[in-house]
Amino acid sequence: MLDAFLPFLSGLGLALQPINLVYCLVGALVGTLIGVLPGIGVTATVAMLLPVTFFLPPLTSLIMLAGIYYGAQYGGSTTAILVNLPGESSSMVTCLDGYKLARQGRAGPALAVAALASLFAGIFATLFIALFAPPLADLALLFGAAEYFALMIVGLIAAIVLAQGSLLTALGMIVFGLLLSMVGTDLNSGAARMTFGIPELSDGIGFVPIAMGLFAIGEIARNLESGADRSVLAMRIGSLWPSQDDLRRSTPAAIRGTLIGSVLGVLPGGGALLSSFAAYAVEKRLAREPGRFGEGAIEGVAAPEAANNAGAQTSFIPLLTLGIPANPVMALMVGAMMIQGIQPGPEVMVKRPDLFWGLIASMLVGNVMLVIINLPLIQIWVSLLKIPYRLLFPSILVFCCIGVYTLNNSALEVMMILVFGVMGYAFLKWKCEAAPLMLAFILGPLMEENLRRVMLLAKGEPSYLLTRPISIGLILVAVGLVLILVVPAFKQTRAEAFREAP
Amino acid sequence: MQVIRIRNSSDVLFGLTLIGFGAVALYLMADVRMGTATRMGPAYFPNVLGWLAIGFGVAIIGRGVTVAGDAAEAWSWRALLPILISVAVFALGIERLGLALTVIALTLVACAADASTRWGQAGLLAVALALFSVAVFVLGLGLPLPLLPAGMR
């Protein structure tokens, strides 16, 4: 048992190196900032900061980017509680009870419970990853092309089953994303595919302009037209200390939220968003007086905030062990690793244990930093909320453009933001979730490569996929997931899990 | 014969987009080697995807004319267009005008997207963002961005 934690301790040593501490803090600060500010999401921010990671060592850049993701879960609760707006989409359910508590003059305890529940969840999720990632990576080392292809299918299908919206639309988005990923030179034959003869496109479409177009531009236009200029109530936060009663109620809720988040985070399509919705739904169902929920129940803050932080962290497990991203943020992490010349997958743990354990251990450090950043310094973040959106959105545009341009010094890539910005806006208008497209875009080349290998081994017989036990299992899971969606009872549960949004 | 009625314009529009992209992909891949299932050529997987896109597009349109849903929301070009133009300004300007002027131009164009913009404030923001970008990205991080207009370097 103790042996299992030796590599973790050496990772902790790396995470505590000054440069890694500094960038862990930078990630935590940026994460809190964008978490607090509504209208800037994690995906767009990570995309914006990718060019900066060129200049950092691999471990340092991963630590920073990871800090942004889980840091945003801390910041998101602040806005949810004080302004009744989700700073991050994963804080949507926190608005329900958090804002009520603030209206009752109990903003301080609500903020404190949110931060402490997140801290507990963060520490637990770190140990969860340390325990479960290595065996999963060992298993993944046995995978051949057939297993990988099946795994990617399961990943994509699960990602849409566990997400919001229509299955058919999401399948369409997956095919769309896969098609876009085919643009560029075919690695096997050197043939140009769908490049329109544009030389810059021979390397394929960059994932950074796609992420920015889909997740930043459309969002900005939407925020502007809804005229969401939020006004922060001149609210006194008061004492941060939760009462005995608060602690008694929120401790079990935080523990349940942590467990739910840790498990749901691992699943493809999981992560912070799904975890927080599920945790809230469970608390409401278990409560002796469900009527208190929505009227300022402290459990309604503790559970989803613990869950979204745990889920954000454990969603690194499929990335680190299988090389398969669970959500768009993880898809960008794949990109960040490839920029550094690292192919994500089970080999990372064997070949680069420093990277693997250093990143995991940094989460422990980051979570402690985040509590300090969020609780004593809360007034600073509240004052940032007063920045009007009309000053914010031009700044986001400037950073997006500079970020994309510096990636390859290519003005054409900046133009790509424009193309995908129109798409992102259209998808918002048509209620098509963009996340499956992004996942499919990242997985596309891998899927093609593995499909080619499978078919070569199988001599063109697709039934080969059904001759290997692991791939049979995975394909059965994929079929099961689709069937489940057709079952009315599950359909209803799924709709219910996402219904709580205000 | 009954006239087909659109019951969910979001579905119909997305379906048409999918069909369009699928068709373009099939057209562009027409001259590229297909190969066989055993030895897939460069066009094999894209062709499969192209047909899948068309298939899903048809299915989604089918749903759009049978199952009622929300109509697609109207587009607000007032907000979208200035944002798109501002990005284009950056793409076209960065190599010719240099970073400082381009950022100022981008900011001013983008500010037109917001009805509540105060132009004095927008001007200050533009200058502040230009100074910040030059200080952080060029002087601080040392990114290779052109600073001055092409004629003045």
Side-chain angles (χ1 to χ4, degrees):
Chain A
M1 185 67 189
L2 199 65
D3 279 0
F5 278 89
L6 277 181
F8 181 77
L9 287 179
S10 70
L12 195 59
L14 289 171
L16 290 172
Q17 283 173 358
I19 179 173
N20 293 333
L21 276 178
V22 168
Y23 279 94
C24 189
L25 181 66
V26 170
L29 284 172
V30 172
T32 307
L33 175 71
I34 59 150
V36 168
L37 297 174
I40 316 177
V42 183
T43 317
T45 311
V46 170
M48 262 189 269
L49 283 176
L50 272 182
V52 176
T53 63
F54 267 141
F55 302 91
L56 299 174
L59 176 59
T60 311
S61 49
L62 290 181
I63 286 179
M64 181 180 79
L65 296 177
I68 296 174
Y69 187 33
Y70 58 79
Q73 313 310 326
Y74 277 79
S77 62
T78 306
T79 316
I81 291 168
L82 294 179
V83 201
N84 201 21
L85 273 177
E88 274 325 306
S89 48
S90 52
S91 304
M92 254 188 260
V93 282
T94 310
C95 293
L96 298 175
D97 285 284
Y99 186 64
K100 276 278 161 49
L101 282 165
R103 291 282 296 271
Q104 294 159 10
R106 308 194 55 234
L111 289 168
V113 163
L116 294 174
S118 298
L119 175 68
F120 172 75
I123 294 172
F124 180 86
T126 307
L127 301 179
F128 187 89
I129 302 174
L131 273 180
F132 288 102
L136 199 57
D138 288 342
L139 179 70
L141 282 171
L142 305 173
F143 281 18
E147 285 80 8
Y148 257 105
F149 184 74
L151 184 67
M152 281 183 264
I153 302 246
V154 174
L156 286 173
I157 301 282
I160 56 181
V161 171
L162 296 174
Q164 261 171 302
S166 131
L167 177 71
L168 191 58
T169 310
L171 286 171
M173 291 297 265
I174 285 183
V175 175
F176 204 157
L178 290 174
L179 255 184
L180 287 172
S181 76
M182 292 296 116
V183 174
T185 311
D186 172 40
L187 288 180
N188 277 28
S189 63
R193 302 197 285 194
M194 298 183 264
T195 59
F196 294 94
I198 302 171
E200 280 98 335
L201 278 184
S202 61
D203 289 334
I205 303 174
F207 62 92
V208 178
I210 291 200
M212 281 184 185
L214 291 181
F215 296 98
I217 303 290
E219 198 61 46
I220 290 176
R222 192 196 192 82
N223 286 337
L224 284 174
E225 68 188 56
S226 60
D229 221 12
R230 60 212 171 255
S231 49
V232 185
L233 303 170
M235 185 179 290
R236 276 201 38 232
I237 293 176
S239 162
L240 287 171
W241 291 108
S243 67
Q244 285 286 325
D245 185 51
D246 290 339
L247 289 178
R248 188 180 55 78
R249 286 177 186 278
S250 33
T251 308
I255 293 174
R256 282 191 290 267
T258 302
L259 292 175
I260 292 170
S262 299
V263 173
L264 290 185
V266 182
L267 304 179
L273 181 64
L274 173 72
S275 305
S276 61
F277 279 97
Y280 188 85
V282 166
E283 281 313 308
K284 204 170 163 182
R285 189 152 292 180
L286 288 179
R288 278 201 208 100
E289 319 147 65
R292 283 176 55 249
F293 280 81
E295 300 299 329
I298 194 89
E299 304 95 302
V301 173
E305 284 304 315
N308 67 22
N309 201 37
Q313 278 181 232
T314 55
S315 62
F316 277 85
I317 291 181
L319 172 76
L320 291 172
T321 56
L322 309 171
I324 296 209
N327 55 43
V329 180
M330 292 304 123
L332 288 173
M333 296 291 285
V334 171
M337 292 171 90
M338 297 208 289
I339 284 178
Q340 302 274 1
I342 303 155
Q343 179 67 47
E347 292 89 4
V348 174
M349 201 185 73
V350 184
K351 288 187 192 148
R352 297 293 306 267
D354 56 318
L355 212 64
F356 184 84
W357 292 105
L359 175 61
I360 293 174
S362 80
M363 293 177 180
L364 210 56
V365 181
N367 273 288
V368 175
M369 283 181 180
L370 277 161
V371 170
I372 300 169
I373 292 171
N374 273 272
L375 285 185
L377 303 181
I378 187 76
Q379 286 299 346
I380 299 176
W381 302 110
V382 174
S383 61
L384 275 175
L385 269 173
K386 291 174 184 142
I387 300 175
Y389 194 64
R390 63 171 181 277
L391 299 183
L392 222 46
F393 83 88
S395 320
I396 301 172
L397 285 172
V398 166
F399 298 140
C400 278
C401 288
I402 294 181
V404 167
Y405 181 74
T406 47
L407 218 46
N408 292 316
N409 275 329
S410 152
L412 186 97
E413 290 218 293
V414 181
M415 281 296 191
M416 298 298 261
I417 304 183
L418 205 151
V419 175
F420 290 103
V422 176
M423 272 190 208
Y425 186 72
F427 291 152
L428 279 176
K429 290 291 180 191
W430 301 341
K431 303 198 174 55
C432 304
E433 284 274 327
L437 188 156
M438 192 71 213
L439 290 185
F441 179 79
I442 292 280
L443 288 179
L446 276 172
M447 277 186 90
E448 184 186 24
E449 185 55 37
N450 282 296
L451 182 64
R452 269 184 175 157
R453 280 194 219 149
V454 173
M455 293 312 258
L456 195 60
L457 288 169
K459 305 199 170 54
E461 279 300 318
S463 56
Y464 174 79
L465 279 170
L466 298 177
T467 60
R468 301 174 57 105
I470 298 180
S471 71
I472 294 178
L474 289 168
I475 285 175
L476 284 179
V477 171
V479 173
L481 282 169
V482 174
L483 288 181
I484 256 182
L485 255 201
V486 190
V487 177
F490 179 81
K491 229 176 173 173
Q492 202 189 345
T493 318
R494 179 171 176 260
E496 219 168 79
F498 284 106
R499 198 193 46 199
E500 308 285 353
Chain B
M1 201 185 112
Q2 205 188 346
V3 182
I4 293 176
R5 225 185 49 185
I6 293 176
R7 290 163 203 270
N8 182 340
S9 51
S10 298
D11 273 352
V12 173
L13 288 169
F14 180 50
L16 287 174
T17 312
L18 266 182
I19 294 175
F21 269 83
V24 168
L26 290 179
Y27 171 76
L28 288 173
M29 299 311 291
D31 297 332
V32 184
R33 192 170 56 84
M34 265 294 273
T36 61
T38 311
R39 296 192 167 273
M40 291 185 186
Y44 196 96
F45 199 46
N47 264 294
V48 172
L49 293 173
W51 285 113
L52 275 176
I54 292 174
F56 278 117
V58 171
I60 290 171
I61 292 179
R63 189 179 62 180
V65 294
T66 49
V67 183
D70 306 332
E73 291 169 39
W75 287 34
S76 161
W77 290 103
R78 170 77 177 74
L80 185 61
L81 208 55
I83 293 172
L84 298 179
I85 296 175
S86 75
V87 174
V89 163
F90 186 95
L92 297 174
I94 182 71
E95 270 147 30
R96 298 180 182 85
L97 298 174
L99 182 63
L101 285 179
T102 309
V103 167
I104 291 178
L106 183 165
T107 311
L108 291 177
V109 174
C111 281
D114 188 354
S116 70
T117 290
R118 301 169 200 166
W119 285 102
Q121 209 179 35
L124 284 179
L125 177 68
V127 175
L129 280 175
L131 289 175
F132 180 85
S133 311
V134 170
V136 171
F137 295 107
V138 181
L139 304 178
L141 292 169
L143 297 177
L145 288 156
L147 265 187
L148 298 170
M152 289 164 65
R153 279 169 218 152

